[in-house]
Every structure is written in C-alpha cells, then in structure tokens.
Amino acid sequence: GLGHMGVKLAHALGAHVVAFTTSKDKVADAKKLGADEVVISKDADQMKKHANSFDLIVNTVAKSK
C-alpha cells in the first residue's frame, strides 16, 4: 500500500527510514522494503527512544470511524 511505497521511495532517496508498526510480524517486511529501523509502537521504551527525533513523519494509517 501507500506505506510500503513511502518506505521504498524514502530509502531510494537516501533517507534514514524508521517504520512504525503495531505488529512484530511486520518487522522483517519493513526492513526488506528499505527501513533502517522498525519501531513496535506498542512498546513504550521504543517509542520513547525516538521521541522528538524526526525531521519528517509521513503517516499512511487509514482513519476509520
């Protein structure tokens, strides 16, 4: 989807890419697409490590009601 393309494009442009997911099962896939790091967003320690550390965030999460 859109998130996959964002990771691939950012990686191709030379950015340091950090992907966020709620699932440990998606870590390998994100790295295969070009993510340098993958953060499990349910892990408070991982989230705290990256607080205020990004120049740009591209959010591709769909909002549903």
Side-chain angles (χ1 to χ4, degrees):
L2 186 56
H4 293 90
M5 293 306 297
V7 170
K8 290 174 78 170
L9 180 60
H11 174 77
L13 292 172
H16 179 85
V17 179
V18 181
F20 286 77
T21 182
T22 59
S23 172
K24 291 180 183 179
D25 295 337
K26 295 182 182 178
V27 171
D29 288 338
K31 287 188 175 183
K32 194 181 301 184
L33 290 169
D36 297 293
E37 299 179 61
V38 182
V39 174
I40 307 299
S41 60
K42 293 180 181 180
D43 183 322
D45 290 332
Q46 287 186 38
M47 293 294 287
K48 184 182 276 188
K49 175 184 171 192
H50 290 285
N52 301 311
S53 67
F54 298 106
D55 294 320
L56 174 72
I57 296 172
V58 177
N59 181 349
T60 61
V61 177
K63 180 183 176 189
S64 61
K65 291 185 175 189

